[in-house]
Each structure stands twice: as structure tokens, then as C-alpha cells.
Amino acid sequence: MTLTRTQVRDLLDRHGIHPKRSLGQNFVVEPNTVRRIAELAGVGAGDRVVEIGPGVGSLTLALADTGASVTAVEIDDVLVGVLAETTAGRNVEVVHADAMTVDWGAVLGGAGDADWTLVANLPYNVSVPLVCDLLDDVPAITRMVVMVQKEVAERLVAGPGDDAYGLPSVKVAYHAVGRMVGRVPPSVFLPRPNVDSALVEVVRRPEPAVDADPARLFTLVRAGFGQRRKMVRRSLAGLLDETAIVAAGVDPTERAERLGLAQWAALAGVPAPTGSGGES
Ligand code: SAM
């Protein structure tokens, strides 16, 4: 059981809700879409699912229908009230919190012994930092199936040389294997957004893909993509000198947008000149 367009409209009307653009409130009103996402997530009885931004509960109900237990984190207090109504009697715990700042250890039980799958139609304005921060800080989330803006999806799964390749792509590749698993048209949302959406699956690796100090690695990646079209001998100046870049086996005239994870790791492995930064 999930929510139809008419039911979502009715809920919004009865609760006097005007979707907030600032919170990326575009609600899915097409039952087949949320069922498809739940299916792609491959979750079922006994699985633990965390959802960020349940909205009025369309995807939440489809996830609960699989038999999984669902923990749903919603920032908007009015929607938390609606969720109490739509998820009543279901295996759903609603947490009223900002997913960007919430204590994930407390939300997910703290023990760290359970595998969680994140399944969410993410708020567009925080989707990239959310995915990156959860990969960095919440190892209990071992899989993600997330709906994001198509351009964001491309950034998450891009490789060296792709236009969309950047820090989020390196972050995903470092922690996980990411792939695009579907496209979603604007017509399934209320209100209808001006952009296409896509579904991305991110499966965490047992260990990061390369052996490198992550703080140093991502300091270099951030600096490199800060000036992505410059040669690394320029964009990394102050962090690595040209001799160190050559010692890492990287051509100093190469650009950040063409370096793969192994090359970033090699750069992170050569000693930094005294006084260069190492924080992430
Ligand atoms: N899951 C619902 C659906 O598919 O219909 C709603 C998705 S809507 C794109 C994004 C949701 O995220 C909204 O309910 C919004 O209030 C919520 N949200 C926005 N920022 C948030 C944050 N920082 N923490 C938790 N929820 C947030």
C-alpha cells in the first residue's frame, strides 16, 4: 500500500502544506515509482532501512511493504505530523531531525553491528554532502539506493575524463562502487520539478579502494578540483612540488579531471613539503 496522487494532494490540503522549495519538497505521487525503488533496493523482512526525507510517506510505505523495518529521518515538523498518520501501525520509526547534523550513531542504534541500507528520494540541495558524509562517517550504512537530480547522479558515478568527474566521484570510488540504476521523469512528482532525476546504487567496499591517508588524499583532491582545468603542478602548488608529483608517477602537466583514484593515492603517498596542509 502506498500513496496515489489524489491521496498526496488530499494530505497536503488537509494539513495546509505548501511544499517548500528550500527543503527540496517534491513528493512522489506515482505508486509504481516508489515500488520500483523498493524493488531496486532489494530489501525485505529482517532488513534495516534508513530513509532520509520521507515527506508524506510514499516511499516509506513501499519500503515497509517489503517487510523491512524503516527508520525515517525528516526535518520538517509539519510533515512529521503527517507521517504519524500515514505510517500508523506500520514498522516505521519516524525521527524528527536534520539528516545533516543528526547523531547517526544514536539513530541507527550505535552498536555498529548491523548493516543498514539507505533508500531515499534525497532533498536536492543536500544530496551530495549527505552521500559523501555518510560514506565518510557512517560505516553502518553499507548500501544506498538514492534518487537524486540526474546531474548529481552523473557526478556520483563519473570516472576520470568525464565532464561530471569531481570530488564526489572520487569520494564514492574510494569508499564504494557506484552505478546508475534508473531514470525518473519529472511527471511522477508533485510539484513537478524542472529537472530529470536518476537512481544511483552505492555499495560500500569492505575496505577503501586504495591504501592512503584519507585526510591527505582528499586535501589533494579538493585542491585539484578547485582548479580542475589547471595542470596539477599549479593546482597542487603548496601541497606538492613538481618533484614529488613526478615521484608519484604522475605527469605534472596532467589535470585533476583526468586523474584516477590510484593516481590520487600515489600523490597522497609522497611526503608533503614542510608546512603543507593535511586536514580533510
Ligand atoms: N520521500 C518523499 C517522496 O519521495 O515523496 C519526499 C522526498 S522530497 C524530494 C525530500 C524530503 O526531504 C522532504 O520531505 C524534505 O522535508 C526532507 N528534507 C529536506 N532536508 C532535509 C534534511 N536536512 N534532513 C531530513 N530531511 C530533509
Side-chain angles (χ1 to χ4, degrees):
M1 185 208 79
T2 182
L3 301 171
T4 63
R5 184 177 293 267
T6 313
Q7 286 170 317
V8 174
R9 267 190 206 289
D10 174 59
L11 279 166
L12 297 180
D13 284 352
R14 271 198 295 116
H15 291 266
I17 294 168
H18 302 283
K20 299 184 185 81
R21 224 183 131 87
S22 60
L23 292 179
Q25 292 179 349
N26 298 95
F27 304 111
V28 177
V29 291
E30 168 55 56
N32 284 335
T33 301
V34 287
R35 279 191 214 113
R36 176 175 156 225
I37 298 173
E39 221 166 273
L40 279 170
V43 291
D47 291 332
R48 295 184 221 212
V49 171
V50 57
E51 184 186 7
I52 293 174
V56 294
S58 314
L59 177 59
T60 322
L61 292 175
L63 291 168
D65 278 349
T66 67
S69 59
V70 182
T71 299
V73 179
E74 174 58 58
I75 196 171
D76 186 325
D77 48 353
V78 181
L79 292 180
V80 168
V82 178
L83 287 161
E85 182 182 322
T86 50
T87 64
R90 308 301 304 270
N91 192 4
V92 174
E93 183 195 358
V94 177
V95 177
H96 182 199
D98 179 346
M100 292 295 293
T101 56
V102 73
D103 175 354
W104 283 106
V107 171
L108 304 183
D113 57 351
D115 283 349
W116 288 80
T117 303
L118 170 73
V119 190
N121 171 14
L122 290 176
Y124 79 96
N125 47 336
V126 287
S127 53
V128 171
L130 266 175
V131 169
C132 290
D133 290 357
L134 293 173
L135 283 171
D136 277 340
D137 303 331
V138 190
I141 297 178
T142 54
R143 251 184 97 224
M144 306 181 183
V145 174
V146 290
M147 177 144 73
V148 292
Q149 227 174 291
K150 184 173 83 45
E151 290 69 21
V152 167
E154 287 165 355
R155 287 171 71 194
L156 294 176
V157 304
D162 292 343
D163 285 347
Y165 186 54
L167 189 144
S169 332
V170 182
K171 181 77 71 173
V172 169
Y174 174 75
H175 287 290
V177 177
R179 66 188 183 111
M180 193 102 79
V181 290
R183 300 281 283 267
V184 181
S187 54
V188 307
F189 298 96
L190 182 75
R192 188 187 165 117
N194 295 323
V195 293
D196 285 332
S197 300
L199 290 157
V200 174
E201 179 193 57
V202 175
V203 180
R204 186 184 287 280
R205 301 171 186 275
E207 299 293 333
V210 291
D211 184 16
D213 169 21
R216 177 71 179 157
L217 174 67
F218 285 102
T219 296
L220 294 174
V221 173
R222 188 167 292 110
F225 284 105
Q227 303 179 76
R228 56 184 293 135
R229 305 225 186 269
K230 285 204 173 147
M231 296 177 190
V232 286
R233 71 172 178 221
R234 301 287 293 278
S235 59
L236 302 183
L239 293 168
L240 283 177
D241 61 25
E242 199 162 331
T243 320
I245 295 172
V246 172
V250 173
D251 177 351
T253 66
E254 198 53 281
R255 295 171 170 80
E257 59 190 9
R258 299 197 55 84
L259 298 187
L261 186 55
Q263 288 168 299
W264 286 112
L267 290 169
V270 294
T274 320
S276 73
E279 67 291 339
S280 67

